[in-house]
């Protein structure tokens, strides 16, 4: 079987006011960030519940980042 | 009507087009199988946020009768509002649009053009899926009452009343005692760089004579419900028990402070018979009898000032004591020439530009300043350890102490009535300690003066003007209030009445309907953070515009 | 338009921005005038601010965005007040809007233009720690995110060469060498002065060796070294770009004697340094040498207690004015009288001076043309318990009227708005 490089799939739930803004600033500074990270913007990281986390894992995420 | 989705990809000059393959994006998005039952219009544009770009979007929305709009462009923090404003000019509800960030968090961070293009396509698919699950939302307008209730008739309350009262705005000033002026009314003099004592008397007169200010003496707050622009208030007269109902749009809590009782501290032992006084007691004595004496009526020949009493136990510096103890020393030096005064302090806190020169003027007057590590008091006997570690004992005729300023019991009572938070020190908690210092977590309830933390008279006045300023900008007579639309809502059938959401809401926006046994969101207070949604065990709460279904779509596409 | 609907705010720091947003909310038109090419003031220079250590950029960026998007607020960067006539309710004001040479409407802030510029100059916004080009933004995340050309250094604008490199790089055609300074005449009902602060030139404090010894830094340099958008992206290294400090001394009250007052914030903000430095430089030893500690808020002392308990050693000096710094091979030797007035010595790699806050550059000229008084230290004189200056209709907020923290600056700007709206109602 052909071996492929492992490309993890990570979903990041980022708070609109802090971490999402930080990710924007990283972008504006042209920092390289892995394409593995898929950002979902929320208005507050406290919005994230077990439902969302489990659904995300069931859909095949290798990791979840909740940052706020 | 069938779904007609417009997807517009901004090239942002070379910023996006230089780092992702726009043609491939257009081609792949146009031919997505899962949307084959929908009508997709996919077009690139050089610069959507430009004047031409906005006109282009407006035309596209109108001419194509779009039902959904996706803008793949920069961060929502840059141009979300721009595109919302475009929607507002058309038939499309602005909540049927979404922005997809393919610049900051895609094109700019992934150097490989192919990978960046894949990512952009993935994000845009997420955006299309999301927008299909979005619902139109509509703004509401609420009537508002411009009148203001001020709790506390001290310097802060008086100052705020005068800023606010006018032709189109009544002020209700309630004071627990029978006199206006608060603690400052006990003072004989203010510090030289503070307002003059005559100002206070003028202020009281002005307030009493102002036809738009109604004063309630011996009165306390009994009940308050509502939100910015619409508070229903019940006041209670202390002596008669009579109640008054009022309506107001905003409330200022300016209920002042008290001093810590130093005798609660292990190392401060004295009785009312000893010649130990607080700085405030000296002011009272001077105001009532015109001079400072020992309890025997004799003149003191020596005195000690003790700073920072209870500072460690309270956990904060009260910031005003260094200055006012010097002021009392000034009274003594004037009254009893040649009096020996020793000043025992841990630190000198002189936070205003004028303070240091004031302090130095006392050094010149022959006062002795001594920094101590520890100090203990027994009657008028003082034992202290200086910075070199030497233990000393003195027994001056008079001891004047500066106990920490602390919150009064009414802070707790008001916190319970209004549901605004107390800081761990017992003072009121600001909405944000730095950038929103007189607001609280509840819109429409403001704090000013020493009930929000130790401050001097000048600062209390500034805070009162600040609270006044906040109200003048938020409650404009005749103008309606438009609350946030993207708020939480309760699906009544699912609510089990567990009240978890009431505990987690930081804004006090959820109340419990006892009759129906369910929680209710007050949309005028809710800010839409979604904390309650995350904590509801039965899934009865829903975040408008950030619903589970909408977020699932983004997650699903992210992991495809 | 009726002047009673227009307010002039001078200075776009936290105080000026808060006042502008509030006035706009009350339906007033605001002209926000800023001498620098970016808005935000000094707060955005600090990475995280006391006492709760929240990220300053996260705190201020949403406010900056609101300002730039607000239809009631006209932001005039690289601008200056020239002349003021009239009286409260109707001031006639002349303003110079200096040429930026970059069209704000056309520029996207992609940053392609400055790498190609052949001219370099020190970046004083970054405390001179790095260089910038003749066309520049002061730091990553500057708002408005549009560069400016320094006409005194630009080869083309000062006429020394036909350089066109930036214009050739910009495909939006945003570079405009023909832009001219503009003179604007407007009428305003009231004016708020919110011009912020400068810091004492630390070279004046002779015994501390700033400018002489490479290991001596001002606190404002350290702020930029600690900031993730600063010149080292938050990495702590000595000036040689290699050495990592093992022992650091923070010297409190630097320049207090020279200016004659306590600067209010310099006990609180260094309390943060030990937290950041011990995190960024594992094993580093921190010493704070102090005389008095001043924490003028209910929440500030706690931060200091936490710092002292775990992260820094606080050394009391009976006479800070006698503290002296000298160099000994690659280390700094700090001599000071201790608590018992005994001579003590401490060897460190880096010394950080919590340097005094002074009136902002240009305040003297501004107060003269506004005809408002200054206090004996050079700050704008305010009435007691108020934000009124000595001239009706002109108000002051923030550090322009003396050193203060963010909270107190915001309080004053809110109070100034209160006074203005009160005044316009009558």
């Amino acid at each position: 079987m052909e071996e492929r490089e492992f490309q993890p799939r990570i979903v990041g739930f980022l708070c609109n006011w802090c971490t999402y803004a930080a990710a924007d600033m990283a972008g504006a500074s042209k920092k390289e960030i892995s394409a593995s990270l898929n950002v979902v913007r929320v208005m507050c990281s406290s919005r994230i519940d077990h439902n969302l986390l489990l659904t995300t894992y069931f859909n095949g995420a290798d990791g979840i980042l909740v940052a706020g | 009507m069938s779904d007609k989705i417009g997807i517009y990809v901004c090239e942002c000059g070379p910023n996006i087009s230089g780092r992702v393959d726009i043609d491939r994006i257009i081609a792949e998005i146009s031919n997505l199988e899962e949307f084959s039952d929908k009508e997709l219009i996919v077009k690139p544009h050089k610069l959507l946020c430009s004047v031409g770009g906005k006109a282009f979007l407006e035309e596209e929305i109108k001419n194509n009768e779009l039902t959904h709009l996706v803008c793949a462009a920069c961060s929502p923090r840059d141009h979300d509002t721009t595109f919302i404003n475009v929607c507002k000019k058309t038939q499309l509800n602005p909540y049927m649009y979404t922005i997809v960030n393919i610049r900051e968090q895609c094109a700019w961070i992934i150097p490989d053009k192919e990978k960046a293009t894949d990512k952009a396509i993935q994000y845009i698919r997420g955006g299309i899926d999301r927008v299909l699950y979005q619902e139109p939302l509509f703004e509401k307008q609420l009537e508002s009452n411009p009148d203001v209730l001020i709790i506390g008739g001290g310097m802060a309350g008086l100052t705020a009343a005068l800023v606010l009262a006018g032709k189109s705005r009544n002020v209700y000033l309630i004071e627990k005692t029978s006199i206006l002026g608060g603690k400052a009314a006990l003072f004989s003099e203010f510090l030289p760089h503070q307002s003059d004592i005559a100002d206070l008397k003028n202020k009281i007169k002005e307030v009493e004579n102002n036809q738009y200010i109604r004063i309630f003496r011996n009165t306390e707050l009994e009940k308050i419900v509502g939100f910015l622009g619409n508070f229903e208030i019940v006041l209670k007269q202390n002596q008669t028990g009579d109640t008054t109902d009022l309506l107001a749009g905003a409330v200022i809590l300016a209920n002042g402070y008290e001093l810590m009782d130093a005798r609660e501290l292990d190392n401060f032992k004295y009785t009312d018979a000893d010649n130990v006084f607080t700085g405030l007691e000296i002011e009272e004595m001077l105001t009532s009898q015109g001079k400072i004496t020992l309890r025997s009526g004799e003149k003191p020949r020596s005195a000690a000032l003790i700073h920072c009493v209870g500072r460690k136990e309270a956990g904060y510096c009260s910031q005003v004591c260094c200055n006012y103890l010097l002021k009392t020393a000034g009274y003594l030096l004037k009254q009893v020439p040649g009096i020996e005064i020793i000043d025992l302090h841990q630190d000198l806190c002189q936070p205003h530009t004028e303070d240091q020169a004031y302090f130095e003027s006392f050094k010149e007057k022959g006062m002795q300043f001594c920094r101590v590590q520890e100090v203990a008091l027994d009657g008028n006997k003082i034992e202290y350890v200086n910075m070199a570690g030497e233990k000393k004992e003195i027994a001056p005729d008079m001891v004047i102490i500066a106990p920490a300023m602390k919150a009064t019991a009414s802070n707790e009572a008001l916190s319970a009535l209004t549901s605004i938070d107390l800081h761990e020190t017992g003072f009121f908690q600001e909405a944000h300690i730095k950038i929103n210092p007189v607001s609280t977590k509840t819109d429409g309830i403001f704090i000013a003066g020493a009930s929000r933390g130790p401050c001097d008279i000048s600062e209390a006045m500034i805070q009162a003007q600040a609270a006044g300023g906040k109200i003048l900008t938020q409650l404009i007579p005749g103008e309606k209030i438009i609350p946030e639309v993207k708020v939480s809502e309760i699906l009544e059938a699912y609510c089990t009445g567990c009240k978890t959401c009431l505990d987690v809401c930081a804004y006090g926006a959820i109340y419990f309907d006892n009759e129906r046994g369910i929680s209710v969101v007050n949309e005028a207070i809710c800010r839409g953070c979604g904390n309650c949604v995350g904590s509801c065990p039965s899934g009865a709460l829903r975040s408008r515009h950030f619903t589970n279904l909408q977020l699932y779509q983004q997650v699903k596409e992210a992991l495809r | 338009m009726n002047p009673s609907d227009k307010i002039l705010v001078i200075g776009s720091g936290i105080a000026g921005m808060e006042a502008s947003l509030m006035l706009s909310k009350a339906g007033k038109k605001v002209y926000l005038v800023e001498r620098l090419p970016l808005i935000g003031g000094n707060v955005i220079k600090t990475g995280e601010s006391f006492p709760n250590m929240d990220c300053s950029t996260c705190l201020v960026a949403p406010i900056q965005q609101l300002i730039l998007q607000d239809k009631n607020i006209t932001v005039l960067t690289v601008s200056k007040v020239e002349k003021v006539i009239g009286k409260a309710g109707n001031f006639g004001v002349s303003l110079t809007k200096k040429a930026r040479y970059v069209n704000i409407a056309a520029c996207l802030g992609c940053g392609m233009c400055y790498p190609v510029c052949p001219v370099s100059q020190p970046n004083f916004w970054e405390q001179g720690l790095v260089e910038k080009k003749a066309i520049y933004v002061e730091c990553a995340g500057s708002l408005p995110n549009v560069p400016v050309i320094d006409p005194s250094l630009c080869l083309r604008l000062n006429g020394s060469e036909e350089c066109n490199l930036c214009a050739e790089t910009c495909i939006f055609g945003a570079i405009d060498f023909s832009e001219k300074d503009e003179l604007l005449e407007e009428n305003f009902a009231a004016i708020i002065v919110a011009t912020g602060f400068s810091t004492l030139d630390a070279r004046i404090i002779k015994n501390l060796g700033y400018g002489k010894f490479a290991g001596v830094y001002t606190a404002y340099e350290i702020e930029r070294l600690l900031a993730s958008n600063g010149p080292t992206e938050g990495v702590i290294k000595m000036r040689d770009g290699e050495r990592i400090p093992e022992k650091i001394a923070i010297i409190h009250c630097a320049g207090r004697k020279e200016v004659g007052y306590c600067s209010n914030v310099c006990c609180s903000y260094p309390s943060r340094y030990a937290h950041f430095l011990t995190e960024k430089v594992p094993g580093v030893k921190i010493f704070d040498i102090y005389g008095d500690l001043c924490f003028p808020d209910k929440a500030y002392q706690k931060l200091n207690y936490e710092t002292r308990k775990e992260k820094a050693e606080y050394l009391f000096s009976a006479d800070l004015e006698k503290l002296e710094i000298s160099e000994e091979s690659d280390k700094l030797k700090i001599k000071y009288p201790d608590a018992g007035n005994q001579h003590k010595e401490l060897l460190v790699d880096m010394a950080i001076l919590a340097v005094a806050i002074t009136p902002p550059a240009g305040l003297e000229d501004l107060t003269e043309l506004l005809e408002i008084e200054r206090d004996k230290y050079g700050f704008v004189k305010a009435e007691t318990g108020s934000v009124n200056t000595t001239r009706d209709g002109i108000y002051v907020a923030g550090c322009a009227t003396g050193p203060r923290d963010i909270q107190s600056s915001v309080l004053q700007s809110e109070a100034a708005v209160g006074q203005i709206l009160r005044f316009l109602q009558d």
Side-chain angles (χ1 to χ4, degrees), chain A residues 7 9-11 13-14 16-17 20-21 23-24 26-28 30-44 46-52 55-56 59-61, chain B residues 15 19 75-78 80 99 101 104-105 108-111 115 119 122-123 130 486 528-536 543 546-548 551-552 554-556 558-560:
Chain A
Q7 176 85 50
R9 295 190 295 176
I10 298 164
V11 174
F13 292 103
L14 305 189
N16 178 60
W17 307 104
Y20 193 88
D24 276 353
K30 314 275 158 75
K31 296 249 186 297
E32 185 177 340
I33 295 169
S34 164
S36 296
L37 179 68
N38 297 278
V39 175
V40 176
R41 182 174 69 113
V42 288
M43 293 314 276
C44 174
S46 72
R47 162 75 182 82
I48 307 306
D49 56 11
H50 57 281
N51 255 328
L52 263 172
T55 314
T56 307
N59 275 286
Chain B
N15 284 305
R19 304 175 71 121
S75 167
R77 302 176 57 83
D78 289 321
D80 203 23
I99 188 167
N101 184 352
E104 277 88 345
Q105 296 186 19
W108 279 355
I109 56 166
I110 303 169
K115 277 190 186 163
K119 184 101 206 158
Q122 194 179 25
Y123 274 147
R130 186 193 203 284
K486 295 175 282 182
C529 69
N531 199 356
C532 55
V533 181
S535 62
C536 179
S543 244
F546 284 88
T547 64
N548 282 345
L551 296 182
Y552 288 157
Q554 281 180 280
V555 168
K556 191 185 78 194
L559 297 168
R560 186 181 284 272

Side-chain angles (χ1 to χ4, degrees), chain B residues 19-278:
Chain B
R19 304 175 71 121
V20 298
D21 184 343
I22 300 277
D23 294 338
R24 180 152 80 86
I25 291 177
I26 302 292
E28 287 196 23
I29 295 291
S30 308
N31 297 306
L32 287 175
E33 256 173 51
E34 71 259 39
F35 303 118
S36 52
D37 58 330
K38 315 258 188 274
E39 193 176 334
L40 301 191
I41 296 163
V42 190
K43 288 183 187 169
H45 190 275
K46 282 235 150 358
L47 195 55
L48 281 176
C49 63
S50 62
V51 180
K54 285 186 281 191
F56 162 77
L57 265 186
E58 193 182 330
E59 288 300 301
E60 286 285 314
I61 298 171
K62 285 181 184 161
N63 296 346
N64 296 318
E65 294 176 347
L66 295 182
T67 58
H68 300 81
L69 172 67
V70 177
C71 293
C74 52
S75 167
R77 302 176 57 83
D78 289 321
H79 283 298
D80 203 23
T81 338
T82 310
F83 301 134
I84 285 177
N85 289 336
V86 171
C87 295
K88 282 183 179 168
K89 290 186 187 170
T90 71
Q91 82 287 353
L92 188 70
N93 183 287
Y95 297 91
M96 300 304 283
Y97 132 86
T98 197
I99 188 167
V100 177
N101 184 352
I102 58 164
R103 193 177 74 169
E104 277 88 345
Q105 296 186 19
C106 179
W108 279 355
I109 56 166
I110 303 169
D112 183 304
K113 194 166 177 175
E114 285 310 302
K115 277 190 186 163
T117 308
D118 289 342
K119 184 101 206 158
I121 292 169
Q122 194 179 25
Y123 274 147
I124 296 169
R125 290 168 75 137
I128 302 171
D129 265 335
R130 186 193 203 284
V131 85
L132 284 169
Y133 281 86
Q134 286 177 198
E135 297 154 15
L137 301 174
F138 301 92
E139 283 177 352
K140 283 182 196 149
Q141 295 197 332
L142 302 173
E143 297 289 339
S144 78
N145 180 320
D147 299 341
V148 181
L149 172 75
I150 299 176
I151 299 174
M155 201 48 146
L158 294 169
T159 308
L162 290 171
V163 170
L164 288 162
K167 268 205 304 291
S168 46
R169 192 186 314 270
N170 293 314
V171 168
Y172 308 108
L173 179 65
I174 70 170
E175 166 56 46
K176 195 152 103 175
T177 69
S178 60
I179 45 166
L180 295 181
K183 292 256 190 317
L186 306 172
F187 285 24
S188 160
E189 278 174 32
F190 290 168
L191 283 166
H193 60 267
Q194 288 175 352
S195 169
D196 197 270
I197 200 90
D199 281 355
L200 175 65
K201 294 187 174 137
N202 290 339
K203 266 208 163 91
I204 295 174
K205 244 184 245 152
E206 247 185 277
V207 166
E208 285 174 332
N209 294 335
N210 190 311
Q211 56 173 315
Y212 304 110
I213 301 176
R214 196 167 146 202
I215 304 166
F216 296 82
R217 292 170 211 266
N218 300 307
T219 300
E220 290 182 66
L221 181 68
E222 173 80 1
K223 197 180 162 202
I224 177 166
V225 288
F227 48 91
L228 175 71
N230 293 280
F231 286 105
E232 290 171 26
I233 291 155
V234 183
L235 304 179
K236 188 173 168 193
Q237 224 275 2
N238 284 336
Q239 296 149 325
T240 60
D242 292 347
T243 58
T244 313
D245 291 349
L246 289 176
L247 285 178
V251 182
I252 300 179
L253 309 180
N255 50 304
Y257 70 99
E258 62 189 26
L259 292 182
M260 176 188 270
D261 185 350
R263 284 168 291 195
E264 286 168 9
L265 302 167
D266 292 342
N267 48 351
F268 276 75
K269 295 190 189 71
Y270 66 93
T271 66
D272 288 343
D274 290 314
N275 282 305
V276 179
F277 303 90
T278 65

Side-chain angles (χ1 to χ4, degrees), chain B residues 12-15 47 77-78 81 85 162-165 169 193-195 311-312 315-317 319 347-351 353 356-357 371 387-388 423-425 427-428 430 432-435 437-438 452 454 458 461-463 465-466 469-470 472-474 476, chain C residues 14 18 22 25-26 49-52 54 59 62 65 69 71 108 110 171-172 256 260-262 264 291-299 301-302 305 316 339-340 376-377 379 384-387 403 406-407 410-412 414-415 417-419 421-422 425:
Chain B
C12 195
N15 284 305
L47 195 55
R77 302 176 57 83
D78 289 321
T81 338
N85 289 336
L162 290 171
V163 170
L164 288 162
R169 192 186 314 270
H193 60 267
Q194 288 175 352
S195 169
R311 169 176 164 190
K312 203 172 129 208
Y316 52 85
C317 159
Q319 68 162 292
D347 284 304
L348 289 173
C349 175
Q350 299 162 334
T353 37
Q356 184 162 323
R371 188 180 301 265
M387 292 309 278
H423 183 254
E424 59 189 26
T425 53
F427 294 106
F428 289 127
E430 312 85 343
H432 191 284
I433 184 169
K434 285 171 285 202
I435 56 167
V438 291
R452 66 175 286 287
S458 299
M461 289 166 69
I462 300 269
Q463 290 172 21
Q465 294 165 46
K470 278 282 178 191
L472 290 173
T473 51
Q474 292 179 13
I476 296 165
Chain C
I14 193 77
E18 170 72 0
M22 282 175 74
K25 200 164 183 197
S49 46
F50 70 88
N52 49 347
D54 45 9
L59 208 62
Q65 293 283 10
Q69 287 163 1
K71 290 199 172 67
L108 291 185
C110 64
I171 69 138
F172 300 99
R256 177 170 174 178
Y261 51 83
C262 157
N264 185 309
D292 276 305
L293 292 174
C294 171
F295 301 110
D297 182 86
K298 64 184 175 220
Q301 178 170 305
K302 191 181 169 200
Y305 276 14
F316 173 73
K376 66 173 173 178
Y377 307 105
F379 294 102
T384 57
S386 155
V387 286
I406 300 173
Q407 181 194 90
V410 170
L411 279 169
Q412 288 188 326
E414 294 175 352
V417 172
Q419 291 293 357
L421 295 176
R422 156 89 285 176
Q425 251 176 23

